[in-house]
Amino acid sequence: LKENDRTTYEKTELKKDLETKIAQLEALIEQLAEEIAAAKDQIDKTEVEIKKASQTREEENKEFQSVVADQRATQAILNKALMKLKDFYHKGIGKEVFAQAAQEPPVKFNSYNNNAGSSPVIGLIEQIIEDSKALEAETTAGETQAQADYQQFVKDGNNLIKDLQAAIASKLKASASADADKAQASASHESTVGELEELAQVEADLHAECDFVIKNFDVRQKARLQEMEAIQKAKTILSGSNAK
């Protein structure tokens, strides 16, 4: 019984340890599954954001191309007109016409210089050309910066996806290892439970035997005494017979 109790205690402690380990492994597996799902979701969102950024960048570039083309066309037309007006003015043909153009124009532009000996209309056209060039330069600078920002965004997004994929692979490996450990622990737990059941049965059998011994002790003791008395009587009889 003492040996049985000692073994039962050891197996009971082992069973508790295995149950704790199994619970910890189950929690780890669940946590890894949640983290893997979150990483996959983040990858999907990042890919969508990159796709949207690409579409936006394409639209912005089309707008940029259109603005630059318009400004360059405007500059070309105005430069041709300016050359003709300067030629016309320098020949002295249009001074009277140009004098009438000094009134307030219907659309205001940046202030322009009325150079001595030149028509205010020529100055206005020159200023419009400069404004167009400035708008083209500003638009080009904005396009350059937008393209650089887009490229950096795509680079960062791809790096994030790469890191997340590596993390998923690592977590999948850890989850598989935890599954294997859990399976082994579960098998050990099942075996330990079986051993405890066997130990409990052995203990029950031992107790039954002890109870039987204790319960029948008086009967057996009496029978033993009677047996000893019978033997003694037999010896006495045999001794008397030998004396005759």
Side-chain angles (χ1 to χ4, degrees):
L1 278 172
K2 185 177 180 180
E3 179 65 22
N4 183 276
D5 289 342
R6 184 184 65 79
T7 305
T8 299
Y9 173 79
E10 292 175 352
K11 294 298 180 180
T12 300
E13 291 301 307
L14 176 60
K15 176 175 172 289
K16 292 178 181 179
D17 291 342
L18 289 170
E19 288 172 347
T20 299
K21 183 177 182 180
I22 291 171
Q24 291 174 341
L25 289 169
E26 288 176 343
L28 175 60
I29 292 170
E30 183 178 356
Q31 178 184 349
L32 289 171
E34 291 175 355
E35 291 175 355
I36 290 170
K40 289 181 177 179
D41 183 62
Q42 184 62 44
I43 288 175
D44 291 340
K45 289 180 178 179
T46 302
E47 288 176 341
V48 170
E49 289 174 358
I50 290 175
K51 184 176 180 180
K52 287 182 178 179
S54 298
Q55 293 173 343
T56 300
R57 182 85 281 275
E58 184 178 353
E59 293 172 359
E60 290 175 346
N61 183 259
K62 287 181 180 179
E63 179 65 20
F64 161 74
Q65 297 291 345
S66 176
V67 170
V68 170
D70 290 345
Q71 294 308 310
R72 289 179 179 175
T74 297
Q75 293 167 30
I77 293 171
L78 290 178
N79 277 322
K80 289 180 181 179
L82 184 61
M83 290 177 63
K84 291 182 179 180
L85 285 172
K86 283 182 177 180
D87 183 63
F88 183 63
Y89 177 78
H90 289 310
K91 288 179 179 179
I93 300 173
K95 289 183 179 180
E96 183 177 350
V97 175
F98 290 141
Q100 297 175 359
Q103 62 184 348
E104 183 75 12
V107 179
K108 291 184 179 181
F109 295 88
N110 293 336
S111 60
Y112 59 89
N113 295 324
N114 186 5
N115 297 327
S118 65
S119 165
V121 175
I122 291 177
L124 176 61
I125 293 175
E126 288 175 339
Q127 186 61 54
I128 293 174
I129 292 173
E130 291 302 316
D131 289 346
S132 177
K133 289 181 178 179
L135 178 58
E136 180 186 348
E138 180 182 350
T139 303
T140 300
E143 169 65 14
T144 300
Q145 185 60 51
Q147 181 64 21
D149 292 342
Y150 164 73
Q151 290 175 342
Q152 186 62 47
F153 176 79
V154 172
K155 181 180 178 181
D156 292 343
N158 287 331
N159 287 337
L160 175 60
I161 290 173
K162 183 179 179 181
D163 291 342
L164 288 170
Q165 288 173 336
I168 289 173
S170 176
K171 292 179 189 297
L172 285 172
K173 185 177 180 180
S175 181
S177 177
D179 277 331
D181 290 344
K182 179 190 171 186
Q184 184 176 359
S186 296
S188 296
H189 179 267
E190 183 178 355
S191 175
T192 302
V193 170
E195 290 177 3
L196 283 171
E197 290 175 352
E198 290 177 0
L199 288 168
Q201 184 60 49
V202 170
E203 182 181 12
D205 293 342
L206 288 172
H207 277 295
E209 290 179 6
C210 290
D211 290 342
F212 177 80
V213 171
I214 293 172
K215 182 178 180 181
N216 292 279
F217 177 78
D218 292 338
V219 176
R220 294 177 63 187
Q221 185 69 12
K222 184 178 181 180
R224 180 62 176 166
L225 290 173
Q226 289 176 348
E227 181 180 351
M228 291 176 66
E229 289 177 357
I231 293 172
Q232 188 62 37
K233 286 180 179 181
K235 287 181 177 180
T236 302
I237 293 171
L238 288 174
S239 297
S241 298
N242 291 333
K244 291 180 180 182

